[in-house]
Amino acid sequence: MLLRSAPRRLHLLRPHHLRLLSTAAAVAAPPPAPTEWTEAPVSSVRAATADASLFHVSLDLSSHADLLASHVAAGQFLPFRLPDTPYPIFLAISSPPPHLLLARSFDFLVKRLPGTPSARLCDLRPGDLVHVGGSVVGRGFEVGRIADARDILVFATGSGISPIRSLIESGFGETKNIDVRLFYGVRNLQRMAYQERFSNWESRGIKIIPVLSRPDDQWTGERGYVQNAFSRLKKVVNPSSMGAILCGHKQMSEEITRALVADGMPKDRILTNF
C-alpha cells in the first residue's frame, strides 16, 4: 500500500542511550564505545523518502558472520566510527535479526541532516568502506515483558520507524491472536518512509494509522501529532492485557507514557529500545 497525497482514500500509518545526531532515535547519553572495530563495505545507498530527508543504507556483512550473529533482537544498534568525528554514532538496525544466518547484510534508515556525521553515510557509494563495531549493542525491545498482551499499541515518529520495521518483519505478533495498531507520525507524506512496505505489514496483522502534522489540503487521515491522534482514538479498556512500544521524539514518548500510565497501564508494559 503506497500512500499518495492525491487522490486520498486512506483514513489512517533512536536507539539505545545514544547521541544519534540523525539516526533512528535519539536519546540522552551514548553507550560505551566498542573496544573492537571492523570494516565493512556499503552495498547500497538510496533515498528512502520523496524529499530525500531519509536514506536507506545497507552494509555488506557477508564476511562478518560473528557480527551478523550478534543481532538477536529488534531495536538493537550498530556503532559507526566516521572520519573526523570525536565519538561514534549509533544507528538502529532496520532489518530484522537474521534467521539461521541466512541474511548477509544490515539495513539502516538514516536521517540526512547536512553537516552531521550520519549525513556522510548518505553520501557514500557502494563499495565504500566504513568502520563499525565488532558487535551490535543494546538489548532491543524486550517483547517478552508483554508476551501475554492481547492489544498492543506501537508509536513511532520520524526515523523512529526504523527499529519498528525490524520488529514487524521479525514476525512480532504473527503467531498470536492480538490486535496491533501502529501510530506513525511524520510531517507529510514526502517524509514518510516504508510506504512501499505497508501492504506487507498489514498482511501481518498490523493496523497502520499514519498521522501527519503538516499535510496538504487533500489529506483526509489523522492530523497533528501521534499523541493527539491517540487521545482521539484510544480505547484502553483493560490495561493489564495491553502493551505499548515507543520509538521516536522524546516529547511524544513522555506524553504517551503519561497518558497510558494515567489510564492504568503498568509502566513495565511500555517498551522502548533504550
Side-chain angles (χ1 to χ4, degrees), residues 105-138:
S105 64
F106 282 168
D107 297 338
F108 303 88
L109 184 66
V110 185
K111 190 172 183 180
R112 193 183 193 288
L113 288 177
T116 62
S118 55
R120 300 179 188 179
L121 289 173
C122 305
D123 295 328
L124 297 178
R125 297 181 179 180
D128 288 342
L129 294 175
V130 292
H131 283 86
V132 297
S135 64
V136 303
V137 298

Side-chain angles (χ1 to χ4, degrees), residues 32-228:
T35 57
E36 295 185 10
W37 295 89
T38 188
E39 282 189 331
V42 172
S43 57
S44 67
V45 180
R46 59 186 175 86
T49 55
D51 67 354
S53 60
L54 295 172
F55 274 71
H56 296 298
V57 177
S58 297
L59 294 185
D60 177 4
L61 299 177
S62 55
S63 299
H64 297 278
D66 289 344
L67 176 53
L68 284 164
S70 70
H71 184 206
V72 296
Q76 291 181 300
F77 302 92
L78 183 67
F80 285 72
R81 187 171 64 185
L82 301 175
D84 302 321
T85 57
Y87 48 81
I89 63 171
F90 298 76
L91 296 179
I93 303 168
S94 62
S95 47
H99 296 290
L100 302 178
L101 296 184
L102 296 177
R104 291 293 180 266
S105 64
F106 282 168
D107 297 338
F108 303 88
L109 184 66
V110 185
K111 190 172 183 180
R112 193 183 193 288
L113 288 177
T116 62
S118 55
R120 300 179 188 179
L121 289 173
C122 305
D123 295 328
L124 297 178
R125 297 181 179 180
D128 288 342
L129 294 175
V130 292
H131 283 86
V132 297
S135 64
V136 303
V137 298
R139 64 178 181 265
F141 296 112
E142 296 181 316
V143 294
R145 287 162 45 189
I146 55 173
D148 61 340
R150 288 294 169 262
D151 295 280
I152 297 177
L153 303 171
V154 183
F155 301 91
T157 55
S159 54
I161 194 65
S162 175
I164 300 302
R165 174 207 158 188
S166 179
L167 182 69
I168 293 171
E169 296 183 9
S170 67
F172 175 72
E174 285 186 1
T175 60
K176 299 179 180 180
N177 183 26
I178 61 175
D179 177 29
V180 182
R181 283 172 284 168
L182 168 58
F183 292 80
Y184 178 13
V186 295
R187 178 177 296 183
N188 51 48
L189 290 180
Q190 287 68 45
R191 292 199 174 192
M192 181 168 279
Y194 298 141
Q195 293 182 50
E196 73 283 358
R197 311 184 87 90
F198 286 1
S199 292
N200 175 270
W201 293 0
E202 289 177 330
S203 72
R204 297 168 180 260
I206 310 298
K207 181 181 179 181
I208 306 171
I209 306 169
V211 185
L212 306 184
S213 61
R214 299 182 188 178
D216 60 29
D217 293 337
Q218 295 176 312
W219 177 250
T220 60
E222 289 294 325
R223 294 171 177 258
Y225 299 107
V226 292
Q227 53 267 48
N228 307 131

